[in-house]
Amino acid sequence: RLSRAGKKVCVLERGKEFQPGEYPDTLVEAMEQMQVHTASNHRGSETGLFDLHVHEGISVLVGCGLGGTSLINANVSIKPEERVFEDTRWPEELRSEFLNPDSLINKGYALAKDMLKAAPLPDSIQLNKLNALKKSADALGEKMYRTDINVNFDVDGENHVGVTQKPCNLCGDCCSGCNNSAKNTIIMNYLPDAKAHGAEIFTKTSVSHIEKKGNS
């Protein structure tokens, strides 16, 4: 959005660029893309795609590559329900912003959904896991619904920012990297759109700190 507004933008990514067809497809290939951070040391390639941070209180897996964790997440794209921000433990400024349908934060959610093309799995696709979840929900008297996911099921060719994609083939490799060009990671939308509007992108570039130069 900054690039579209005519601002000079530089994107620095500590990982490398992965394109569909380059993601690991076997357990051995996946292990080669693994890195582990602990409080005492680091093991594995510093540009490994799967970046596991192990700590006493919490462990977190993040993506290391151009596109970040969008490369290896499960694509679920859910806007928080209003009941989340009805909790008074949230700052009042944030609660009032979120609960106002015309606020900037809600406009931002709408813009992100449009760029990522988040939508539920089509009803025409039936999966055993979904059927089992529906059966469990019915037994408990609860509602089961298909959440929005950032996956392409329709485009076979150039998408809305000019990147070639293929429809999802249900391979199930979302969390190891989509080699079918169907997953709407940010290398399929935000980043190429930014580059098309003048942004410069540099990979394998770690950032330790930033400094202000002059008054700019």
Side-chain angles (χ1 to χ4, degrees), residues 83-98:
R83 63 182 176 85
V84 174
F85 288 98
E86 289 172 353
D87 192 317
T88 55
R89 285 173 291 186
W90 290 99
E92 177 57 33
E93 293 81 2
L94 181 58
R95 294 179 63 226
S96 59
E97 178 79 2
F98 187 87

Side-chain angles (χ1 to χ4, degrees), residues 95-115:
R95 294 179 63 226
S96 59
E97 178 79 2
F98 187 87
L99 296 175
N100 175 9
D102 297 320
S103 67
L104 289 177
I105 193 171
N106 283 308
K107 290 179 181 177
Y109 273 114
L111 287 170
K113 181 176 182 178
D114 180 63
M115 178 61 87

Side-chain angles (χ1 to χ4, degrees), residues 75 77 112-120 148-151 184:
N75 315 308
S77 190
K113 181 176 182 178
D114 180 63
M115 178 61 87
L116 296 170
K117 300 304 177 188
D148 283 348
I149 53 176
N150 302 331
V151 181
N184 294 335

Side-chain angles (χ1 to χ4, degrees), residues 134-142:
K134 178 67 166 60
K135 185 176 181 180
S136 297
D138 289 344
L140 294 170
E142 299 290 346

Side-chain angles (χ1 to χ4, degrees), residues 35-44 52 54-55:
Q35 57 174 310
V36 180
H37 291 264
T38 67
S40 59
N41 61 26
H42 171 271
R43 294 186 178 182
L52 180 62
V54 181
H55 299 286

Side-chain angles (χ1 to χ4, degrees), residues 1 10 23 39 41 68 74 79 97 116 142 151 161 185 206:
R1 292 176 197 162
C10 173
Y23 296 102
N41 61 26
K79 178 184 175 184
E97 178 79 2
L116 296 170
E142 299 290 346
V151 181
V161 299
T185 64
S206 295

Side-chain angles (χ1 to χ4, degrees), residues 44-214:
S45 169
E46 293 186 354
T47 58
L49 176 62
F50 308 106
D51 188 0
L52 180 62
H53 295 252
V54 181
H55 299 286
E56 184 176 348
I58 187 173
S59 295
V60 180
L61 177 66
V62 299
C64 178
L66 186 62
T69 306
S70 76
L71 303 176
I72 62 167
N73 64 15
N75 315 308
V76 179
S77 190
I78 305 175
K79 178 184 175 184
E81 296 178 1
E82 288 189 1
R83 63 182 176 85
V84 174
F85 288 98
E86 289 172 353
D87 192 317
T88 55
R89 285 173 291 186
W90 290 99
E92 177 57 33
E93 293 81 2
L94 181 58
R95 294 179 63 226
S96 59
E97 178 79 2
F98 187 87
L99 296 175
N100 175 9
D102 297 320
S103 67
L104 289 177
I105 193 171
N106 283 308
K107 290 179 181 177
Y109 273 114
L111 287 170
K113 181 176 182 178
D114 180 63
M115 178 61 87
L116 296 170
K117 300 304 177 188
L121 182 77
D123 290 336
S124 59
I125 298 176
Q126 296 296 320
L127 301 176
N128 290 336
K129 182 177 182 178
L130 285 179
N131 293 336
L133 289 172
K134 178 67 166 60
K135 185 176 181 180
S136 297
D138 289 344
L140 294 170
E142 299 290 346
K143 178 184 177 182
M144 196 287 288
Y145 61 95
R146 300 181 179 210
T147 61
D148 283 348
I149 53 176
N150 302 331
V151 181
N152 167 53
F153 292 97
D154 304 311
V155 176
D156 190 355
E158 287 193 358
N159 66 12
H160 57 300
V161 299
V163 177
T164 300
Q165 288 195 264
K166 289 285 186 181
C168 177
N169 62 359
L170 302 180
C171 69
D173 290 343
C174 297
C175 293
S176 59
C178 177
N179 284 314
N180 190 51
S181 303
K183 185 178 176 182
N184 294 335
T185 64
I186 63 173
I187 64 168
M188 294 292 177
N189 36 72
Y190 275 115
L191 289 173
D193 188 67
K195 188 175 187 304
H197 287 85
E200 295 182 279
I201 300 174
F202 299 89
T203 58
K204 299 182 182 179
T205 306
S206 295
V207 178
S208 61
H209 64 281
I210 58 174
E211 296 179 352
K212 184 175 181 179
K213 183 177 181 181

